[in-house]
Amino acid sequence: MAAAFEEFGVMPELIKAVEELGWTLPTDIQAEAIPLILGGGDVMAAAETGAGKTGAFGLPVLQIVHEVLREAAMPHQTSSSSSSSSSSSSSSPSTDTAVGTKVALSPDDRDARVAVDARGLVCQSRDEFQWGGCRATVGVTTGKYYYEAKVTDEGLCRVGWSTRAAALDLGTDAHGYGFGGTGTHSRFVSNHCKKSNRRQFDTYGEPYGKNDVIGCFIDCDEGTIHFTKNGRSLDKAFDIPPRGFAFYPAVVLKNAEMEFNFGHSPFKYDPGDYKPISAAPIAETTLGAAGSAGRKGRGPLAIIIEPTRELAQQTHEQLGLFKKHLTAPSLEILLLVGGMPVPPALNALKHGVDIITATPGKLMDLIKSGKVDLSDVRFFVLDEADRLVSQAEDAAAISDLYSKLPKAVHRLQVLMFSATLHSPEITDMSQKICKFPTWVDLKGKESVPETVHHAIVWADPDKDHSWVSPLKRPKTDGIHAKDSHPTTKTVATNELHYSQAVKLLKPILVAKVIDAHKMDQALIFVRTRVDADCLEAYFNDLGGKEKGKRALIEHAYSCASLHSGRSMRERSAALEGFKNGEIRFLICTDVAARGIDIKELPYVINVTLPDKSEDYIHRVGRVGRADRLGMAISIVARGKEKVWFHQCKSRGSGCQDVRLVEEGGCGLWFDEPSYIAAIQKRLGGEPIPELDSNMQLPGASEGEVVYGQKKDQSDSHDTLIHLQQLTPLVKQLAVLESAAQKQYWNLRCGFSS
């Protein structure tokens, strides 16, 4: 796995972190997006829910932010003037750089197997089997610079340029650019010479050996690197990304020795209009607060926007896991969402933060009050972008925020990630905030993992009369509180009675589904927070709420409600209890449909269908992750149901206006048959299977599929059964084959059988 992430240019510290998280290989979206983001461009990425989008943007954002801070932490010095003289065969060097400091090979930024002389101009490695690398003490961010490297003892060597984030094994990741030998053993010097970056070794130039002088050129403004051999140009070798990071002279050796001239003495070959690197300022960057005032008071370099508090918190926690091995400097990350205490956030901002993960409203409040400094922001990330831009208030906040971000001093990189990026709102927003974005579309529009099984349970109160006299009567949303009570004789002819009967029947069907499948865990989606509270109350009436944690875990209907009406503490406790297995069922509105990751979740139940098919995709995407089988069961009304659609000032608080919206009220007819038709079309057009009277998929045997289990485990079980069935036939075939061979042999030899 390490090699796979390394090929994308991910730094070792981040690779170590994801290995500890148990990641085996990069996902498709990570493989596509990480190199693009590290390359410096805007990216719009769509992938199915659960595809690893947080890692796809989180890893490269952390890496580049860390690179910027590490460059800024280098001593800031200014170069001194230099004297020069010229001759026909040489250019004059610069004298020492700032404060009497000469450019030299670093005694610290090197592998232990590399030795550097006291002057810092000669290095050698006597290890015949492993490469040893070293960098110089001065890097450049702008201008055209040159140095010379002479081979003073035969062996394998590569020279070139790299950032501080690069591996010392030059040319094996995205941040180092090398030219030289690639042999695996120093005693077998290759007749080929290669240029290398990202471990891609391409033929370039010609071989060099003892006494050859390699000229190393970098043009930071044009973004190019080229080399010369003994003064002869070898043409352009690399285009480098204009990120504004410092590039340092670098070398890697295997049983070899090289001597460097950074401008401390006359160059052997004239570099033209390229300056000696000794004439360069030391590792300058465009950072403001970070570069000039250290860590205290530093504003963020990256801002990540999430549509909900839960998703923001989850992303923030994931970044914390990714960054655990990043040191010198470590990164400060901050979560800004509603419902959190303000003083700790203000204290963190005062001391300096590097990455902020936030919801739009909370962040804009702090920006307007002058608490968040945006002058150093390099990254602007919109996660679940389709949901963000679909809300007018959030879309306005995003546009306002973007207008405040700096764009002149350094390149602002915009990333838009979601499960779907196929709406006019997304197109409009991308045209406003992105510059020539690269589009990464991995099944973003229509896809649900193949590991998800879909099923329907029809709620038809005309056929199922269990709602008439239940042992425990479910609570409803109250929109029919003033209507007469329905009976089995009236529901078929009275639309209000039918609607009320649907509301009574659905919770009963949910309990039947739970019982039939012996569910230990499921995410249950309802339409409104009132619906969530009603279903939670019904489960509690069935005995789901008892004193003591043990009783709670063991009860068949233990549950908690998760919606915007609950406090942040209640929501966090509900989610944590569900993840830890302390409660079986999490009843939630679509506030939880995006991004919440529950490992090995076997079931999702839709008590009410969403009116947008893309929201169904997000809901059911909670199961079927990591190649585990999952089941999404939807309780679908056969007819229309009247529901609340509050547009009043109170947003439903105490509202009893049951008139329809078109009449000025807060009622709406919900047409689930049309919604399920749209969902079926989005899933490919095939009808979604209906559960039978026993709440099972037709033709399925008990225990045939274990939801929450890896698909390959289920497949291996099926394979074992298949092999058991074939074993007698294979034995019979072997007997027949033996008899046929014996008969053929007898015929050849003239024997009778």
Side-chain angles (χ1 to χ4, degrees), residues 138-157:
V138 173
V140 292
T141 59
T142 60
K144 301 164 69 173
Y145 293 96
Y146 170 83
Y147 72 92
E148 287 181 347
K150 181 181 178 180
V151 182
T152 51
D153 195 5
E154 290 285 7
L156 291 175
C157 47

Side-chain angles (χ1 to χ4, degrees), residues 23 52 56 62 65 90 93 114 119 121 165 232 273 314 374 468 483 496 506-507 540 544 553 563 578 603 635 692:
W23 293 15
L62 283 166
V65 167
S90 67
V114 175
R119 299 175 302 155
L121 300 178
R232 185 170 60 258
D273 60 346
Q314 180 172 295
L374 301 176
V468 177
D483 297 330
L496 293 177
K506 279 192 171 186
N540 289 339
I553 296 172
H563 58 69
F578 184 62
Y603 297 98
I635 315 294
D692 59 23

Side-chain angles (χ1 to χ4, degrees), residues 567-587:
S567 69
M568 187 65 179
R569 179 176 297 178
E570 289 175 315
R571 292 163 71 175
S572 297
L575 185 57
E576 195 65 26
F578 184 62
K579 287 183 175 181
N580 294 339
E582 295 171 7
I583 58 173
R584 297 179 186 273
F585 305 107
L586 189 65
I587 305 167

Side-chain angles (χ1 to χ4, degrees), residues 416-437:
M416 298 177 68
F417 276 73
S418 184
T420 56
L421 288 174
H422 300 269
S423 68
E425 294 86 356
I426 283 288
T427 301
D428 182 61
M429 182 61 73
S430 66
Q431 291 173 348
K432 292 179 181 177
I433 69 175
C434 295
K435 292 184 179 179
F436 307 107

Side-chain angles (χ1 to χ4, degrees), residues 6 18 46 74 84 89 92 114 168 180 185 188 203 213 216 350 372 423 426 448 487 489 517 587 602 674 710:
E6 186 178 324
V18 298
M74 295 295 295
S84 62
S89 63
S92 64
V114 175
L168 289 170
H185 198 291
F188 302 100
T203 299
V213 176
C216 303
K350 181 179 179 181
V372 178
S423 68
I426 283 288
V448 171
T487 68
K489 296 179 181 179
H517 289 265
I587 305 167
S674 67
K710 277 189 174 292

Side-chain angles (χ1 to χ4, degrees), residues 620-642:
V620 303
R622 301 308 98 203
V623 296
R625 292 187 168 194
D627 209 32
R628 295 182 183 275
L629 294 172
M631 190 173 196
I633 301 173
S634 298
I635 315 294
V636 185
R638 282 283 190 188
K640 293 183 178 180
E641 176 189 355
K642 191 176 183 181

